[in-house]
Amino acid sequence: MSTPTQLHDLSVAQLAAKLQSREVSSVEAAQHFLARAKAHQNLGAYVHINEEVTLAQARAADAAIAAGTSGKLAGVPIGHKDLFVTKDFPTTAGSKMLTGYQSPFDATMVTRLAEAGAVTLGKLNMDEFAMGSANENSAIGKVSNPWDVSRVPGGSSGGSAAAVAARLAPATTGTDTGGSIRQPASFCGITGIKPTYGRASRYGMIAFASSLDQAGPMARTAEDCAILLSEMCGPDLDRDSTSLDRPAEDFTRSLGDKLDGLRIGIPAEFFGDGLSDDVRAAVDGALKEYEKLGARLVPISLPRTELSIPVYYIIAPAEASSNLSRFDGVKFGHRAKDYTDLVDMYKKTRAEGFGDEVKRRIMTGAYVLSHGYYDAYYLQAQKIRRMIADDFQAAFKDCDLIAGPAAPNVAWALGGKSDPLANYLADIYTLPASLAGLPGLSVPAGFGEGGMPVGLQLIGNYYGEAKLLNAAHQLQQATDHHLRQPAGIAK
Ligand code: GLN
């Protein structure tokens, strides 16, 4: 491994150590990343920056370090997906509906990371209300992939992934409902993990599909993800009724364990038609590395993989149609200017405030929940969701974790996939773990068509994050894909 020479080349672990030893101050680090964010504004990653707020936080971190009272992430600058509400920055969720919205409180994820000493650089672009796979559904603007600015960064956490890949932040937060951490991580050549459903509090994370939404870290290394995830997780029972009643864990505890004898399940359904050759080749390369590291590849089957697409695109819109009913012009965000009565105000506000994809989902969701269709669509989808979860449990009898591609292709061209169905189909490999509530990550596996990054997805059983992160860490000890930099953004 080469020795990093610039602040933005340091991992979170390396930067945190330099901050603790006071070789680098938090103010210096924050200024460095703010300057980079400004210099690479054209990527579109950041949507809200407030230097004064960031520098005030950095000064407080420096004081805490000097006083010896600081947390594990003291002074480390990070960016937050704009789905997490923040009291010091606006929150838009990528929607016109929330233009000018200012939250009176911080999301639990924001509070936890701040308590660990992290400094907020700003808020990051995303698909509107986290619905999308290319960040092209953002009302705020497009995000470019740092590896090729004519391509999408993935979505919905596209700004979070692009910022890390372009070294505009050492790490960021993302959210994953059906792949929104793993797929952009794969497209941008970084590492991102979605924990077991319920590990990360959803309090203050604007709801899309509540039974699926989870927060997680995005960074260049698995070790960094483990450090951040340890700070983010833990019960928040008073604020999120689906928060797991399990104590916070140190997810770095298994880093360094050898992989000898590890059984990696290879689902046949993840390698069938539709997987592009370049992604297959990169994924195969990573699997060979695992064999060299002592793991054994075990063929398994997840027979309902294909069904995860219709199931997800019934359940997620159903929940969204309910969650998004709160955006009606009364309590927060956009309100139409001219209206005749209350109903007219609702209608005009929602027609003006929501983008096409969000409207499509609200309508689909309302339809599948409506009288006469509920049993045929929503209930049926719930039953198959359960079977998908059962399929995983059957598979985990034969393996310790599951590996496959995170996405069927590398990042496509901006504007290249306008058909909503084509976008939905590309979610095929990330949806199953989401529906089952299992932890999953994407780790750089190599490069494909056009020199674009390819991510390997690893899925663990419930609460298996530490093992999962170590598996990704071991791959990163043996390969250097995660250390490569997109040309043009290095300086
Ligand atoms: N691409 C999926 C969707 O559009 C997943 C989004 C997400 O995980 N937030 O719903």
Side-chain angles (χ1 to χ4, degrees):
M1 207 194 286
S2 62
T3 325
T5 48
Q6 310 220 52
L7 271 186
H8 56 266
D9 290 329
L10 299 171
S11 68
V12 169
Q14 291 166 330
L15 182 56
K18 283 196 192 294
L19 286 157
Q20 277 304 337
S21 66
R22 296 165 77 182
E23 200 179 315
V24 175
S25 77
S26 178
V27 167
E28 238 175 288
Q31 279 168 337
H32 182 82
F33 283 100
L34 286 171
R36 280 187 69 77
K38 208 179 270 172
H40 295 281
Q41 230 164 6
N42 54 339
L43 284 176
Y46 283 94
V47 288
H48 316 295
I49 280 185
N50 182 333
E51 295 200 5
E52 264 172 51
V53 167
T54 302
L55 293 176
Q57 289 181 7
R59 281 192 293 273
D62 282 332
I65 293 167
T69 57
S70 56
K72 284 219 170 95
L73 293 173
V76 175
I78 59 167
H80 288 296
K81 184 176 185 178
D82 206 22
L83 198 64
F84 296 98
V85 301
T86 40
K87 60 178 166 30
D88 295 328
F89 295 84
T91 303
T92 58
S95 184
K96 186 181 166 194
M97 189 57 104
L98 286 177
T99 325
Y101 172 67
Q102 185 59 54
S103 168
F105 67 100
D106 280 333
T108 296
M109 289 302 101
V110 174
T111 308
R112 293 237 165 116
L113 288 166
E115 281 169 1
V119 168
T120 304
L121 287 169
K123 304 291 289 292
L124 296 153
N125 209 337
M126 54 178 285
D127 281 303
E128 184 174 8
F129 290 110
M131 300 175 191
S133 320
N135 216 116
E136 292 191 303
N137 297 333
S138 167
I140 321 280
K142 284 195 174 34
V143 178
S144 283
N145 190 313
W147 292 89
D148 174 351
V149 293
S150 72
R151 302 201 194 212
V152 301
S156 65
S157 312
S160 300
V164 172
R167 288 145 171 75
L168 312 184
T172 56
T173 54
T175 69
D176 191 311
T177 302
S180 281
I181 288 175
R182 290 161 286 161
Q183 185 258 23
S186 169
F187 278 18
C188 289
I190 64 161
T191 310
I193 180 167
K194 173 199 96 77
T196 305
Y197 181 81
R199 279 273 202 205
S201 170
R202 293 181 298 108
Y203 180 72
M205 189 172 116
I206 296 175
F208 162 14
S210 309
S211 75
L212 294 152
D213 297 342
Q214 270 301 287
M218 303 174 81
R220 291 203 303 277
T221 68
E223 180 189 20
D224 286 355
C225 285
I227 293 169
L228 273 114
L229 191 66
S230 305
E231 303 299 330
M232 291 164 79
C233 292
D236 195 19
L237 304 172
D238 296 341
R239 293 174 157 147
D240 172 2
S241 59
T242 60
S243 168
L244 284 169
D245 194 4
R246 293 174 75 93
E249 286 182 28
D250 175 6
F251 295 115
T252 64
R253 68 179 185 273
S254 302
L255 299 183
D257 286 2
K258 292 280 167 269
L259 300 186
D260 291 316
L262 183 81
R263 297 167 306 161
I264 302 182
I266 309 297
E269 295 79 2
F270 279 42
F271 292 85
D273 285 349
L275 177 63
S276 65
D277 291 341
D278 57 331
V279 172
R280 186 191 302 269
V283 166
D284 282 347
L287 295 177
K288 288 217 174 70
E289 288 295 337
Y290 276 116
E291 286 185 303
K292 282 194 225 155
L293 290 167
R296 196 152 53 81
L297 307 184
V298 185
I300 58 159
S301 175
L302 294 170
R304 293 174 185 86
T305 296
E306 249 179 49
L307 286 178
S308 66
I309 298 173
V311 166
Y312 173 87
Y313 280 98
I314 287 171
I315 292 174
E319 295 183 17
S321 71
S322 166
N323 274 326
L324 271 61
S325 63
R326 61 172 64 93
F327 303 107
D328 57 7
V330 176
K331 284 212 185 101
F332 21 57
H334 178 72
R335 179 182 296 172
K337 283 210 171 55
D338 304 308
Y339 49 86
T340 51
D341 57 18
L342 184 64
V343 172
D344 190 47
M345 191 278 281
Y346 288 156
K347 280 190 186 162
K348 286 191 174 135
T349 296
R350 288 168 69 83
E352 290 170 11
F354 291 134
D356 287 349
E357 184 58 29
V358 173
K359 286 179 186 162
R360 190 175 293 119
R361 306 240 183 153
I362 291 173
M363 287 188 281
T364 311
Y367 180 82
V368 299
L369 288 175
S370 62
H371 183 70
Y373 296 105
Y374 182 92
D375 288 1
Y377 294 112
Y378 184 71
L379 205 60
Q380 192 69 4
Q382 292 286 27
K383 287 179 185 165
I384 303 171
R385 178 180 189 175
R386 178 51 190 261
M387 292 168 147
I388 291 170
D390 290 346
D391 288 346
F392 274 107
Q393 290 315 304
F396 279 125
K397 291 205 171 84
D398 300 324
C399 61
D400 305 303
L401 52 87
I402 293 172
N409 320 83
V410 296
W412 53 84
L414 282 161
K417 222 179 243 198
S418 50
D419 172 26
L421 264 185
N423 278 282
Y424 300 171
L425 291 175
D427 292 339
I428 180 153
Y429 303 134
T430 48
L431 299 179
S434 296
L435 289 164
L438 293 166
L441 61 75
S442 178
V443 57
F447 295 84
E449 180 265 310
M452 297 303 289
V454 173
L456 174 80
Q457 180 180 203
L458 298 175
I459 300 169
N461 210 342
Y462 301 114
Y463 320 124
E465 290 85 353
K467 193 195 281 178
L468 206 54
L469 284 158
N470 179 49
H473 178 66
Q474 292 308 318
L475 184 67
Q476 293 185 330
Q477 302 306 95
T479 59
D480 69 352
H481 311 304
H482 61 295
L483 299 175
R484 306 268 190 93
Q485 303 200 21
I489 59 91
K491 293 284 164 287

